[in-house]
Amino acid sequence: MFQDILEFLRSFGPLGLFIHSFADAVIFPIPAFFLQVSLSIVHPKDALWLATYGFIGCLLGTPLGYAIGKLLGKSVLYKILKKQWIDAATNLFQKNGEAAILIGSFTPIPFKVFTILSGCLNFPLWRLMAYAALGRATKFYVVGILFYLYGNAAEGMVKDVSLYIALIAVPLILIGLYFKRRHKRKKMLQQQQAEAVPSAKPVEKPVLEQVTDQSPSA
């Protein structure tokens, strides 16, 4: 059935990829990557346009996937996807939601897992959109650029593109998170130290000096 759906979407070219990418962020279990590669093999010179259609479709579908998670909860994921994908994504989210979305954009785990989980776990929608835009743009355009530059020869290159992107991106993400947490801890420490320092109070004169000051001068 899914193969028939893919063939149907392929017949629409870039529009089919747009629809597939939109559905990929919402509920469709097959990643849009497969249709992007299939269309790019046939039209390598249009690979960048295909990447753009896929990227925009994914971004427009992201809020809908988020709303599904918000309204229906995680149970909907177990009905349409493998439990191991959901458990892996949940584990990433519990450690760091931001890293989960970025890393999830590069992995073979369907992206809808992260959009729906974001809604389930009340992750801010604007952050989801920002990190989804960064991560998905990277994957769509890396595939598009390879086909545009190398034509059909890129078919062998993109088989492990998720792995290659992850090998480069994940260390950068982890380094960024390290410095972000370090800056946050430093800021909290400075705030705690500022709160611990008592506010300066005016020094009161001894009672004898106060009386002396109030007495009339000779």
Side-chain angles (χ1 to χ4, degrees):
M1 181 184 68
F2 290 126
Q3 186 62 36
D4 291 339
I5 294 174
L6 286 178
E7 290 294 337
F8 176 74
L9 291 173
R10 186 182 292 114
S11 66
F12 287 92
L15 179 60
L17 179 59
F18 174 87
I19 296 171
H20 190 168
S21 299
F22 182 93
D24 180 29
V26 180
I27 199 168
F28 196 60
I30 300 177
F33 167 80
F34 295 103
L35 186 55
Q36 182 190 6
V37 171
S38 174
L39 290 172
S40 297
I41 291 173
V42 179
H43 304 289
K45 292 302 179 183
D46 296 332
L48 293 179
W49 278 113
L50 289 168
T52 302
Y53 273 87
F55 173 63
I56 294 174
C58 178
L59 280 191
L60 293 179
T62 295
L64 184 55
Y66 182 89
I68 290 175
K70 195 87 169 177
L71 297 174
L72 301 180
K74 195 189 296 185
S75 59
V76 68
L77 287 174
Y78 287 103
K79 296 179 180 179
I80 60 173
L81 295 173
K82 295 179 181 179
K83 182 178 182 297
Q84 63 200 48
W85 284 347
I86 301 169
D87 292 343
T90 302
N91 185 45
L92 279 173
F93 248 104
Q94 289 173 343
K95 292 180 178 178
N96 195 299
E98 299 171 2
I101 296 170
L102 284 172
I103 295 172
S105 300
F106 311 132
T107 64
I109 300 174
F111 190 61
K112 71 196 64 57
V113 176
F114 297 94
T115 62
I116 294 175
L117 272 180
S118 296
C120 295
L121 303 177
N122 294 315
F123 191 79
L125 178 59
W126 71 268
R127 286 190 180 181
L128 170 64
M129 294 296 294
Y131 293 121
L134 177 61
R136 300 305 279 175
T138 301
K139 186 169 183 179
F140 274 113
Y141 281 103
V142 165
V143 173
I145 289 171
L146 286 174
F147 273 103
Y148 182 79
L149 294 177
Y150 299 102
N152 292 341
E155 182 181 1
M157 302 178 188
V158 300
K159 288 181 179 179
D160 298 318
V161 68
S162 296
L163 175 62
Y164 298 143
I165 295 174
L167 288 175
I168 297 172
V170 171
L172 294 177
I173 292 170
L174 295 177
I175 291 171
L177 290 173
Y178 168 77
F179 282 106
K180 180 180 178 182
R181 289 179 178 176
R182 182 179 177 182
H183 176 72
K184 188 176 181 180
R185 285 197 299 266
K186 184 177 180 181
K187 190 174 181 180
M188 289 180 62
L189 182 61
Q190 290 175 346
Q191 185 177 359
Q192 291 173 355
Q193 290 175 344
E195 292 175 352
V197 176
S199 57
K201 296 182 179 180
V203 179
E204 295 184 358
K205 294 182 178 181
V207 176
L208 182 60
E209 291 185 11
Q210 292 180 9
V211 173
T212 306
D213 292 343
Q214 293 176 0
S215 61
S217 58

